[in-house]
Amino acid sequence: MRRGPRTVLALGLMCLCLAQANFAPHFFDNGLGSTNGNMALFSLPEDTPVGSHVYTLNGTDPEGDPVSYHISFDPSSRSVFSVDPSFGNITLVEELDREREDEIEAIISISDGLNLVAEKVVILVTDANDEAPRFIQEPYIVQIPEDTPAGSSIFKVHAVDKDTGSGGSVTYFLQNMQSTKFAVDHHSGVLRLRAGNTLDYEKARAHFVTVVAKDGGGRLRGADVVFSATTMVTVNVEDVQDTAPVFVGIPYYGYVYEDTVPGSEVLTVVAMDGDRGKPNRILYSLMNGSDEAFEINETSGAISVTQSPAQLRREVYELHVQVTEVSSAGSPAAQAMAPVTIRIVDLNNHPPTFYGESGPQNRFELSMYEHPPQGEILRGLKITVNDSDQGANAKFNLRLVGPGGIFRVVPQTVLNEAQVTIIVENSAAIDFEKFKVLTFKLLAIEVNTPEKFSSTADVVIQLLDTNDNVPKFTSHYYIARIPENAPGGSNVVAVTAVDPDTGPWGEVKYSIYGSGADLFLIHPSTGIIYTQPWASLDAEATARFNFYVKAEDMEGRYSLAEVFVTLLDVNDHYPQFGKRIQEKTMVLGSPVKIEATDQDAEEPNNLVDYSITRSEPANVFDIDAHTGEIRLKNSIRSLDALHNITPNGDYTWSLEVQAKDRGSPSFSTTALLKIDITDTEMMSRSPIDAFLMQTKDNPMKAVGVLAGIMAIIVAITVLISTATFWRNKKSNKVLPVRRVLRKRPSPAPRAVGIEWLKFNKTKAAAKFVLKEDPPNENCNNNSLGTPPPPRAPAPPPPPGMAPSSGTAPWTVPTVSGSLTPSQPQWSPKPKALGSPVQSALVSELRQKFEKKSVASKAYF
């Protein structure tokens, strides 16, 4: 479609109208002090932290379109700020420094997308007190003469501070104001010599002054701060001629010896100008006191003797030396004077010398007893010491060189000559047993001479022995062991005591004493202890002995030691069974026990092992080798089993048992044991039978019962005797004591008859009739002695067994037996006829009663 010119013109006018209707955006100008707008007249402190939000660009678009913000910098400068395009927030991104850059040029712009408006702004950087004062033209060194008047200005220091305002102002101060000779003007920095102070080159050649520069203070990062700087000013003092000459090394002393040659130099005096910075020349001269015997070199100050010492008329010369300064113009200036003392002395050409009774001597000998009294003088030594020189040359010290602390010498300091005395200092150290000979050196050495001449003499002391030691045993106690079968006269132990003394004083004599020394003797010289020739040692009686052994010298000094002797047991006893015939009744299922004792003192000699050596029939009994308990073998559990293997069918066995000790060599004893075996059911039929059977293997129970009965009888007898005695005493008559013996009535027969316990004429209990001995008829108040206590009654002999008649009674099958030693001391009585149980019980009870009777007699 083709358009005409009018259509094109219409379109152009329309576009022009639209373009003119879109206006450009613009910034707000909020003026000085505002933090948003176009940054007009905006300033920022240099101590603002990096990252801080410092300003907000703010503008608008007339059409209300959204705007964006931008900031840019010259390419040659730093990009100090950044801006948020949307919100216009300006942030500090680089650190500010007013001293380096006091204003910042930037171009800020605002755009609505079509139009861009840019403005050039200048941001002022304001000062913060971030710079310290700094001294310029350092170091500061000043040269001033020592005669500078007080209050004079001597130097000016200058410091600058780049800050502005109060932070850039500088004031000056001195450190240690009270200890310095200088002062500084606070504003100008001029350094002056304080009023009333002077400089002295001879006392201090330089002064060091510390100057402090401070700024006026200001704000930095929100706080008030003050900065300062210090510098050192070195003030060198220049010397001027204002001090007289000074002698060095005064006072002066010189010596002229007897061999000094005329013209020899005696000493040199030294002086120097007191003004040492620019010293003048010095001249020396002698003013008076020399008597033309001495002269001095005017330039060096050396004093020389002009005459022979033999011509000098005085011992001491007091000279006066004058020193004069010569100025640079050649005229005399300041002067000074010093005394010089010159002494004419003898030449030290004689060492100290020791003399004896016959002249010079360098060895002195003496014999003396050990341990002399402390403080004693060694009078056997005649020693004189002499030095032929005069004055200080003849003064020397004496001392003893050798073992220290034993002797001391008097005097210790000598002038010319002295008699030497040696005194005992430590008597205990003078011991013949430690030193036979004591050797010292007597040393004489000059004190105040440069030569230190000396001489020595040997002092030799031969010590003589005394009896000053006690014999001492090598041990505080001795332990010996000997076998008990050692014959008389056997050696036991050898003791040794040592006496360090010599000769007769060192001889030791031995002896023994004490409760355990009866069986022993000691050789008086050798100290060998041996048994008495007749001594018979027995470890079973006494196994240990202890006694004391004494070592004594000829003057009675002695020491003691204890001796312990132990007898070693020897297997010299056989095991022994009881001496009486023993029979054992074994209840089926319970053991019987045999015992044998060995009188040896120690194990294993007194340990006994038991065994069965012969049994008929065999393989019926077992025996515990250690306890002696005899049991039936486990296979035999009833009387019927026993009946089948009994030779006669009567349940009786004879065993040969052996007791053997464990010694070396070993000893043994055999004995015959007869055993009756019964059953527990049969034993329970009668209380008496049960009691007898129970106490048969426990004799102490029967002994206890019998002892109780006897004690009651004895108590009754004593009461009756006491009552009779007091009755007779009241009536003043002595009447015989009557005693009625009553036989205990036989107990009534029991319902169940036990015919096997019937004895001849009496029941089983009828045989225990106790009889008392007649009392002492003379026991009254007129008797001279105390009557003996009553004796316990002895049991009567057992009655004979009644023969059985008629029908054979019912009997308990038992095995009765006796334990017979291999060498019995008596023959056992023949076994009574009748029941085996009756025979066994009677025999065993008889033995127990006899033992109890013997024990009761011993008790009473």
Side-chain angles (χ1 to χ4, degrees):
M1 179 178 177
R2 185 176 178 184
R3 296 179 180 177
R6 294 183 67 179
T7 302
V8 173
L9 179 60
L11 290 174
L13 291 174
M14 185 179 295
C15 290
L16 180 61
C17 291
L18 291 175
Q20 288 178 351
N22 189 358
F23 294 97
H26 63 88
F27 285 104
F28 293 120
D29 186 0
N30 295 325
L32 179 66
S34 175
T35 58
N36 64 78
N38 60 354
M39 298 185 78
L41 302 177
F42 177 64
S43 62
L44 187 66
E46 65 175 331
D47 58 348
T48 302
V50 175
S52 300
H53 173 217
V54 297
Y55 198 85
T56 301
L57 295 177
N58 190 7
T60 184
D61 184 71
E63 289 78 21
D65 293 333
V67 294
S68 60
Y69 305 96
H70 304 278
I71 188 170
S72 61
F73 300 90
D74 187 88
S76 61
S77 62
R78 298 183 301 155
S79 298
V80 179
F81 302 103
S82 65
V83 65
D84 185 333
S86 300
F87 299 100
N89 293 331
I90 294 179
T91 303
L92 180 66
V93 298
E94 295 242 356
E95 194 174 78
L96 302 178
D97 187 358
R98 188 202 65 82
E99 288 73 27
R100 187 177 62 178
E101 189 177 11
D102 58 356
E103 61 181 26
I104 301 171
E105 293 182 357
I107 298 175
I108 58 174
S109 60
I110 184 172
S111 172
D112 61 359
L114 296 176
N115 301 304
L116 176 67
V117 177
E119 294 182 10
K120 183 177 182 182
V121 294
V122 175
I123 299 99
L124 299 179
V125 180
T126 60
D127 189 34
N129 190 23
D130 60 344
E131 295 288 337
R134 183 175 60 85
F135 287 94
I136 60 176
Q137 297 179 353
E138 291 184 301
Y140 300 130
I141 301 175
V142 184
Q143 303 287 341
I144 61 174
E146 64 177 332
D147 56 355
T148 301
S152 301
S153 298
I154 60 175
F155 192 71
K156 181 179 180 180
V157 295
H158 183 61
V160 295
D161 191 322
K162 295 181 180 180
D163 291 321
T164 60
S166 63
S169 63
V170 179
T171 55
Y172 302 93
F173 304 90
L174 294 184
Q175 282 186 350
N176 302 323
M177 188 74 177
Q178 303 301 324
S179 60
T180 182
K181 295 176 177 291
F182 304 92
V184 66
D185 186 275
H186 296 309
H187 302 288
S188 64
V190 174
L191 190 65
R192 293 184 175 88
L193 184 63
R194 292 174 62 183
N197 288 271
T198 59
L199 302 177
D200 190 346
Y201 176 85
E202 286 70 34
K203 292 182 179 179
R205 298 186 182 184
H207 297 271
F208 302 95
V209 182
T210 302
V211 181
V212 180
K214 291 185 179 180
D215 62 17
R219 302 284 292 178
L220 177 65
R221 296 183 181 89
D224 292 327
V225 296
V226 177
F227 289 102
S228 64
T230 60
T231 188
M232 181 72 69
V233 179
T234 303
V235 181
N236 293 323
V237 181
E238 295 179 345
D239 191 22
V240 296
Q241 287 295 328
D242 60 350
T243 305
V246 178
F247 283 94
V248 179
I250 57 173
Y252 295 108
Y253 296 95
Y255 300 93
V256 176
Y257 297 96
E258 57 182 343
D259 59 349
T260 302
V261 177
S264 300
E265 181 180 324
V266 178
L267 78 161
T268 299
V269 296
V270 177
M272 60 181 60
D273 188 353
D275 302 309
R276 301 178 185 178
K278 297 178 180 179
N280 290 328
R281 189 163 59 93
I282 300 295
L283 296 178
Y284 300 93
S285 61
L286 286 176
M287 298 305 295
N288 54 24
S290 66
D291 293 341
E292 298 182 354
F294 300 93
E295 62 181 7
I296 188 170
N297 188 301
E298 66 174 5
T299 58
S300 66
I303 298 175
S304 303
V305 60
T306 59
Q307 299 177 4
S308 172
Q311 299 174 345
L312 300 179
R313 295 184 297 273
R314 290 184 290 174
E315 291 185 0
V316 178
Y317 288 84
E318 295 289 345
L319 309 182
H320 291 84
V321 177
Q322 178 178 285
V323 61
T324 303
E325 291 185 17
V326 178
S327 65
S328 57
S331 60
Q335 296 177 339
M337 188 174 293
V340 177
T341 301
I342 298 178
R343 184 180 299 273
I344 310 302
V345 297
D346 177 50
L347 184 65
N348 185 26
N349 52 4
H350 295 91
T353 305
F354 292 99
Y355 294 88
E357 295 180 337
S358 58
Q361 188 174 334
N362 59 5
R363 182 180 177 89
F364 300 88
E365 295 185 0
L366 173 68
S367 296
M368 60 179 294
Y369 285 101
E370 61 177 336
H371 304 303
Q374 189 164 336
E376 180 175 325
I377 297 174
L378 304 188
R379 303 186 183 279
L381 295 176
K382 306 293 184 181
I383 307 174
T384 303
V385 63
N386 175 270
D387 191 324
S388 301
D389 291 319
Q390 301 298 318
N393 293 334
K395 186 178 181 180
F396 54 92
N397 289 338
L398 283 176
R399 68 171 182 262
L400 283 174
V401 180
I406 300 178
F407 299 99
R408 62 185 176 90
V409 62
V410 176
Q412 295 184 351
T413 302
V414 180
L415 182 63
N416 289 117
E417 182 175 305
Q419 184 75 29
V420 179
T421 302
I422 298 178
I423 302 174
V424 175
E425 187 79 8
N426 185 358
S427 176
I430 306 174
D431 192 349
F432 176 82
E433 285 70 35
K434 295 180 180 178
F435 309 101
K436 302 296 187 295
V437 178
L438 290 174
T439 303
F440 298 88
K441 280 192 177 294
L442 188 59
L443 173 64
I445 182 170
E446 292 179 348
V447 179
N448 298 321
T449 63
E451 296 82 8
K452 299 292 183 182
F453 287 139
S454 64
S455 62
T456 60
D458 294 327
V459 179
V460 181
I461 301 175
Q462 300 285 342
L463 294 183
L464 305 177
D465 194 19
T466 61
N467 188 22
D468 61 331
N469 290 283
V470 176
K472 290 185 179 179
F473 284 96
T474 56
S475 176
H476 293 295
Y477 57 88
Y478 296 87
I479 299 175
R481 298 177 177 85
I482 60 171
E484 63 175 336
N485 61 351
S490 298
N491 290 346
V492 178
V493 65
V495 299
T496 303
V498 178
D499 191 329
D501 293 321
T502 59
W505 292 319
E507 296 177 1
V508 179
K509 181 180 179 181
Y510 299 96
S511 60
I512 60 174
Y513 69 93
S515 59
D518 298 339
L519 298 179
F520 303 92
L521 296 174
I522 188 170
H523 193 283
S525 300
T526 63
I528 296 176
I529 299 175
Y530 54 93
T531 59
Q532 295 272 15
W534 47 266
S536 177
L537 305 179
D538 188 359
E540 291 73 33
T542 304
R544 293 175 177 82
F545 301 88
N546 75 291
F547 49 87
Y548 291 94
V549 59
K550 179 179 181 181
E552 186 176 12
D553 63 13
M554 64 177 297
E555 290 188 352
R557 293 173 175 263
Y558 68 92
S559 63
L560 300 177
E562 194 167 3
V563 179
F564 299 89
V565 179
T566 301
L567 298 186
L568 301 177
D569 186 41
V570 177
N571 192 22
D572 56 353
H573 288 82
Y574 286 81
Q576 295 293 328
F577 290 104
K579 294 183 178 180
R580 296 182 179 274
I581 297 175
Q582 296 189 15
E583 298 177 350
K584 297 290 182 180
T585 298
M586 178 183 290
V587 178
L588 190 64
S590 300
V592 295
K593 185 175 181 180
I594 61 173
E595 288 184 329
T597 57
D598 192 314
Q599 298 300 322
D600 286 315
E602 298 177 359
E603 297 179 359
N605 297 335
N606 58 5
L607 297 179
V608 178
D609 293 330
Y610 302 92
S611 63
I612 299 175
T613 57
R614 185 169 59 84
S615 174
E616 294 181 1
N619 300 325
V620 176
F621 298 97
D622 286 330
I623 187 169
D624 190 307
H626 301 297
T627 64
E629 290 185 350
I630 300 177
R631 298 177 180 269
L632 289 172
K633 287 187 175 293
N634 294 332
S635 59
I636 301 174
R637 300 182 179 179
S638 65
L639 291 178
D640 294 337
L642 285 172
H643 183 75
N644 295 333
I645 62 176
T646 303
N648 300 325
D650 56 358
Y651 308 106
T652 302
W653 269 265
S654 296
L655 304 180
E656 184 180 83
V657 293
Q658 182 187 63
K660 183 177 182 180
D661 63 27
R662 299 183 187 179
S664 179
S666 178
F667 295 108
S668 63
T669 301
T670 60
L672 182 63
L673 174 65
K674 294 182 179 180
I675 300 179
D676 290 342
I677 303 179
T678 185
D679 197 352
T680 56
E681 295 180 358
M682 299 179 183
M683 291 298 298
S684 64
R685 293 180 178 272
S686 171
I688 298 176
D689 293 344
F691 172 75
L692 294 176
M693 292 303 295
Q694 291 174 3
T695 57
K696 185 176 186 301
D697 291 332
N698 189 6
M700 294 306 298
K701 185 175 181 180
V703 169
V705 174
L706 292 177
I709 296 172
M710 292 180 181
I712 294 172
I713 295 173
V714 170
I716 295 172
T717 303
V718 171
L719 290 175
I720 294 172
S721 300
T722 304
T724 304
F725 171 77
W726 285 105
R727 186 188 65 181
N728 294 338
K729 183 176 181 181
K730 290 181 179 180
S731 61
N732 199 17
K733 294 180 180 181
V734 177
L735 297 179
V737 178
R738 296 180 180 181
R739 181 165 57 96
V740 178
L741 300 178
R742 293 182 180 180
K743 187 175 182 181
R744 294 182 181 180
S746 301
R750 299 177 63 87
V752 181
I754 307 177
E755 297 183 359
W756 58 275
L757 282 176
K758 290 182 179 180
F759 296 110
N760 189 15
K761 298 181 181 180
T762 63
K763 296 297 180 180
K767 69 179 189 300
F768 301 116
V769 178
L770 303 178
K771 293 184 179 181
E772 298 180 0
D773 293 336
N776 186 359
E777 298 294 338
N778 296 323
C779 182
N780 52 33
N781 55 352
N782 298 323
S783 61
L784 298 176
T786 303
R791 297 181 179 179
M801 300 300 296
S804 59
S805 60
T807 306
W810 179 86
T811 59
V812 178
T814 60
V815 178
S816 61
S818 62
L819 185 62
T820 305
S822 59
Q823 298 178 353
Q825 297 184 359
W826 70 90
S827 300
K829 294 183 179 181
K831 184 178 180 182
L833 299 177
S835 172
V837 173
Q838 295 174 351
S839 176
L841 292 176
V842 169
S843 175
E844 189 165 352
L845 288 174
R846 182 191 63 203
Q847 295 178 21
K848 294 177 180 178
F849 281 126
E850 289 177 354
K851 291 181 180 179
K852 180 60 181 177
S853 177
V854 173
S856 299
K857 290 179 181 180
Y859 175 78
F860 290 105

